[in-house]
């Protein structure tokens, strides 16, 4: 971390930097405690236990903390915290999540540390992000800038596998976004060639299920007027048309599972398929599931319409239908988001740190900030840097927690003095 230019930082901002450094090892110890508590999304008790660890840390800073269970979505719930400051100034929404992808039966369960690198489930994604939030708020408290700040924190309990219906699972977050003047997402910092990147956009995540039917019969009659093309050829026609007709900038789409034959079934919420058939029987049913990712709501609607039009061009003797499930909406790269990144880069300049260029949104997955992006300007990637998210051996650079906390504390302190929208 570069040495801040003293002339560029106010005394309060210098105090924040000193506080983050002084509290670094204590914050790492708290991160270790969180990581060693399993909070796989479906471990409802474990998610709640992590929330219970975080609650007193926020209450000590003057936040009113609420745990909202969400049995209607088959998930643990969400932790929200509100700090009321000076009226008329910007309301900041901080977003992170309590859960990880590692359920209790996964072999990757515990924290380890080698120098400034820690390894553990969720150590970066996103318990490291929670650590950055706490370190930044503690620094603001010590420097006196938290007192007048209006801040709302949303720690979701199911970001890695969101409950359904999404309208219920994200109702609180969406409402918070409508109240906010700026949203800061504390998932992992992105780096390219050793350079910290600024992220002003995330693509959506949309899932689809395609089903086709054909007329069962002897294979010797396939393609005839009576038999038609069969379910699997119709499925293949549609998937081939997706590949040739859908591509456009910022769009990716994938086929994740195919099942078809004389009988076919999708099971386990679309993660498993079974089928029966013979080489000489025309298949009468077929399924495919997949996803597509877009950069804007307009692109989502356009791609869905194109997919539906392709599906409707039925081959002889077949039918086809496509269903779209609720997904994660996109966070488009708006000028408001760019203005927030410019504010962050002003903090970087004053701290003696390099500027953070815009990250290509194709290099980030979907996330919770997408649910508020229609209503509020935002930044992504204010959490720590690391490697191997969602995989055994996930790591975090412990030094980056302090660096990100300093950036966030100064940025939030500056934003919190400005007039609300």
């Amino acid at each position: 971390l570069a040495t801040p230019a003293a002339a560029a930082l106010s005394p309060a901002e210098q105090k924040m930097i000193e506080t983050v450094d002084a509290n670094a090892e204590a914050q790492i110890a708290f991160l270790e405690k969180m990581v060693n508590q399993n909070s796989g999304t479906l471990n409802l008790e474990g998610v709640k236990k992590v929330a219970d660890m975080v609650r007193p840390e926020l209450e000590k800073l003057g936040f009113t903390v609420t745990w909202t269970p969400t049995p209607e979505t088959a998930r643990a719930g969400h932790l929200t915290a509100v700090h009321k400051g000076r009226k008329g100034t910007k309301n900041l929404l901080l977003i992170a999540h309590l859960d990880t992808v590692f359920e209790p039966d996964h072999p990757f369960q515990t924290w380890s540390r080698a120098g400034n690198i820690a390894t553990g489930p969720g150590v970066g994604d996103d318990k490291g992000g929670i650590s950055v939030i706490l370190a930044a708020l503690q620094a603001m408290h010590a420097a006196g800038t938290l007192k007048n700040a209006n801040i709302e924190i949303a720690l979701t309990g199911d970001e890695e596998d969101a409950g359904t219906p999404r309208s219920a699972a994200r109702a609180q977050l969406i409402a918070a976004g409508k109240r906010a003047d700026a949203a800061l997402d504390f998932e992992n910092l992105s780096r390219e060639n050793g350079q910290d990147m600024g992220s002003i956009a995330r693509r959506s995540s949309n899932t689809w299920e395609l089903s086709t039917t054909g007329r069962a019969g002897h294979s010797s009659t396939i393609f005839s007027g009576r038999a038609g093309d069969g379910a699997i050829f119709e499925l293949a026609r549609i998937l081939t048309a997706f590949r040739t007709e859908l591509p456009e900038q910022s769009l990716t789409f994938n086929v994740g599972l195919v099942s078809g034959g004389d009988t076919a079934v999708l099971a386990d919420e679309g993660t498993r398929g079974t089928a029966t058939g013979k080489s000489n029987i025309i298949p009468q049913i077929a399924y495919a599931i997949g996803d597509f990712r877009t950069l804007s709501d307009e692109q989502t609607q356009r791609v869905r319409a194109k997919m539906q039009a392709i599906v409707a061009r039925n081959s002889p003797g077949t039918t086809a239908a496509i269903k779209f499930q609720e997904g994660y909406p996109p966070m488009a790269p708006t000028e408001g988001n760019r203005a927030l990144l410019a504010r962050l880069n002003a903090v970087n300049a004053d701290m003696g740190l390099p500027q953070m260029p815009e990250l290509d949104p194709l290099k980030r997955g979907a996330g919770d900030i997408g649910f508020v992006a229609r209503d509020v300007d935002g930044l992504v990637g204010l959490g720590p840097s690391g490697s191997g998210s969602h995989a055994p051996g996930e790591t975090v650079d412990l030094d980056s927690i302090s660096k990100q906390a300093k950036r966030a504390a100064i940025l939030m302190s500056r934003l919190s003095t400005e007039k609300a929208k």
Side-chain angles (χ1 to χ4, degrees):
L1 180 62
T3 301
L9 296 173
S10 70
E13 290 168 347
Q14 293 177 37
K15 176 66 174 177
M16 284 185 264
I17 287 176
E18 293 166 4
T19 302
V20 170
D21 287 336
N23 293 344
E25 284 302 319
Q27 195 58 59
I28 290 169
F30 184 75
L31 174 59
E32 178 180 0
K33 180 181 176 183
M34 286 194 293
V35 168
N36 283 332
Q37 171 56 60
N38 179 277
S39 61
T41 309
L42 302 182
N43 179 6
L44 309 192
E45 182 181 356
V47 172
K48 176 63 162 54
K49 286 181 177 179
V50 174
D52 290 341
M53 294 176 189
V54 176
R55 173 192 284 271
E57 300 300 314
L58 293 170
E59 288 176 338
K60 285 187 289 190
L61 299 172
F63 282 81
T64 300
V65 183
T66 304
W67 170 257
T68 305
T70 56
E72 69 277 15
T73 69
R75 297 295 185 266
H78 311 304
L79 190 75
T80 57
V82 176
H83 186 280
K84 293 186 177 180
R86 180 176 294 150
K87 289 185 178 180
T89 57
K90 284 186 174 178
N91 187 55
L92 309 182
L93 174 61
L94 316 186
I95 302 171
H97 60 90
L98 301 158
D99 63 318
T100 77
V101 298
F102 303 99
E103 298 297 339
D105 59 352
H106 195 285
F108 185 49
Q109 291 292 335
T110 57
W111 162 284
S112 63
R113 179 179 179 179
N116 71 331
I117 300 297
T119 302
V123 71
D125 184 16
D126 191 29
K127 292 173 181 177
I130 295 172
S131 292
V132 172
I133 290 175
L134 293 175
L137 294 174
Q138 289 163 1
M140 293 174 67
H141 184 264
T145 63
L146 181 59
K147 181 173 70 170
N148 293 323
N150 291 298
I151 296 176
E152 185 166 358
I153 302 171
L155 302 182
T156 56
D158 60 347
E159 195 270 352
E160 301 293 7
D161 187 3
T164 55
R166 294 284 193 274
S167 55
R170 291 296 177 269
Q172 283 186 313
L173 181 61
I174 292 169
K178 294 182 185 300
R179 292 189 291 269
D181 296 285
L184 305 177
D185 184 303
F186 284 81
E187 287 202 291
N188 285 1
L189 169 70
S190 292
R191 307 194 80 219
E192 289 190 344
N193 301 316
Q195 183 175 34
D196 294 352
M197 303 295 290
S199 189
I200 64 165
R202 300 187 78 153
R203 291 190 302 157
S204 66
S205 177
N206 310 276
T207 57
W208 51 267
E209 179 183 314
L210 173 65
S211 60
T212 60
T213 68
R215 298 170 184 163
H218 196 285
S219 63
S220 64
T221 65
I222 195 165
F223 308 133
S224 67
R226 178 174 63 83
D229 286 18
I232 291 179
F233 271 120
E234 173 65 349
L235 191 81
R237 173 197 71 79
I238 294 168
L239 298 181
T240 299
F242 285 175
R243 179 67 184 91
T244 57
E245 298 179 33
L246 292 183
E248 60 179 73
Q249 187 174 1
S250 302
L251 170 70
T252 56
F253 51 94
N254 179 57
V255 182
L257 177 67
V258 171
S259 178
D262 188 46
T263 69
V265 176
L266 290 180
D268 297 339
E269 296 184 345
T271 63
R272 188 184 306 274
T274 59
T276 65
K278 295 179 68 175
S279 62
N280 62 353
I281 297 178
I282 300 172
Q284 61 179 341
I285 191 165
Y287 295 101
I289 61 171
D291 78 351
F292 71 95
R293 296 168 186 263
T294 58
L295 195 53
S296 68
D297 289 326
E298 293 77 13
Q299 187 176 37
T300 299
Q301 296 307 314
R302 182 171 64 252
V303 171
R304 283 181 60 154
K306 290 171 70 175
M307 295 174 79
Q308 288 167 326
I310 290 169
V311 168
R313 302 195 303 248
N314 297 128
S315 300
T318 69
T319 68
I322 190 167
K323 297 188 297 185
F324 299 95
Q325 284 78 41
E326 289 182 297
Y328 272 68
M331 173 187 180
T334 66
E335 288 309 308
N337 297 350
R338 286 194 173 93
L340 269 182
L341 179 57
R343 300 299 304 277
L344 179 59
N345 274 323
V347 172
N348 285 325
D350 291 344
M351 290 179 64
L353 293 170
Q355 296 290 282
M356 298 168 67
E358 282 185 27
L359 178 74
D360 183 344
L362 270 67
K363 297 179 179 179
R364 287 205 80 105
D368 276 340
I369 198 170
F371 288 97
V372 304
R374 298 182 182 100
D375 299 310
V376 61
D377 299 330
L379 285 178
V380 181
L382 292 169
S385 61
S387 64
S389 291
H390 291 206
E394 176 184 354
T395 70
V396 69
D397 178 349
L398 296 171
D399 292 340
S400 72
I401 294 176
S402 292
K403 178 170 65 173
Q404 290 289 80
K406 293 170 186 177
R407 281 172 167 154
I410 295 173
L411 177 64
M412 289 191 291
S413 296
R414 293 179 179 183
L415 291 174
S416 67
T417 65
E418 298 174 359
K419 187 177 180 180
K421 62 185 177 183

